[in-house]
Amino acid sequence: MSDPKITILFYSTYGTNHAVALRASEAMKAAGADVRLRRVKETAPKEVVEGQDAWKQQLAAMDDIPEATPDDMEWADGYWLSAPTRYGVVASQMRAFIDTLGGLWQEGKLANKTFTATTSSNTSHGGQEMTLQSLYTSAMHWGCILVPPGYADPIKFEDNGNPYGFSKTAGEITEVEGKSIDYQAKRLVQMTGKLVG
């Protein structure tokens, strides 16, 4: 049986979703997955990014991570998407990448793959659930198999309890949040392994 292949696709402005993606990558590798960690391209104007030191520094901190291509999506057996919410929906940088996948979608090359998602926002009611559901809507158009965390593990009663996917207010990952990310990552690997095994 081959190891399930997972593409972690993320966008991060100030570092929260970058940290989530790194934590998920480690958990998936520990669970036996072959992982590609990829960031989506920054689409904000250069002068906007460079006008905010924290944004500029975060972009530099991710410089060693390859930018995502459609090949990373075709290669994978499953997907983990992580991006901040913006005005109640996913950040436009992630949407811009998703919108390049029409060709693969039309060929059925995104279908029958697992899909889970995570997000962050500046406040606990900043649209986290809507953002995750909007990502799942795209996944359903592709024909993916959704793997939300649900309440299938007690950790979901310790973190913020979002059954659609890990979500948090922006900032450093706490011990409980880390365990929640680990659980969702391992669940994705296990479910993907059952499909490709």
Side-chain angles (χ1 to χ4, degrees), residues 12-150:
S12 194
T13 309
Y14 302 116
T16 301
N17 289 279
H18 180 201
V20 170
L22 291 174
R23 178 77 182 230
S25 177
E26 291 306 310
M28 287 186 210
K29 289 175 185 176
D34 184 2
V35 177
R36 282 191 187 179
L37 179 65
R38 297 292 186 265
R39 62 186 172 97
V40 300
K41 183 178 181 179
E42 180 58 73
T43 59
K46 185 177 180 180
E47 61 270 20
V48 173
V49 175
E50 293 189 349
Q52 295 185 40
D53 288 343
W55 196 344
K56 182 179 174 182
Q57 290 166 4
Q58 178 57 37
L59 191 57
M62 301 181 297
D63 195 48
D64 61 326
I65 300 171
E67 287 185 353
T69 68
D71 176 68
D72 297 312
M73 305 301 282
E74 185 173 357
W75 168 84
D77 300 313
Y79 308 124
W80 172 292
L81 272 66
S82 186
T85 183
R86 292 285 183 268
Y87 303 110
V89 295
V90 76
S92 62
Q93 291 86 346
M94 180 64 79
R95 283 276 11 138
F97 178 76
I98 288 172
D99 289 347
T100 69
L101 301 175
L104 288 181
W105 167 72
Q106 288 177 334
E107 295 174 21
K109 293 183 177 178
L110 302 174
N112 303 319
K113 301 183 182 201
T114 57
F115 188 108
T116 200
T118 64
T119 192
S120 67
S121 61
N122 283 332
T123 64
S124 59
H125 296 287
Q128 294 174 359
E129 291 184 358
M130 289 180 67
T131 295
L132 295 174
Q133 290 180 37
S134 72
L135 288 168
Y136 291 144
T137 297
S138 294
M140 287 186 278
H141 279 251
W142 297 348
C144 289
I145 297 149
L146 303 184
V147 185

Side-chain angles (χ1 to χ4, degrees), residues 160-184:
N160 73 358
N162 189 338
Y164 305 105
F166 174 78
S167 64
K168 70 178 270 75
T169 53
E172 291 186 21
I173 296 169
T174 67
E175 181 180 352
V176 168
E177 289 172 340
K179 289 178 182 178
S180 185
I181 295 166
D182 293 347
Y183 155 64
Q184 188 170 341

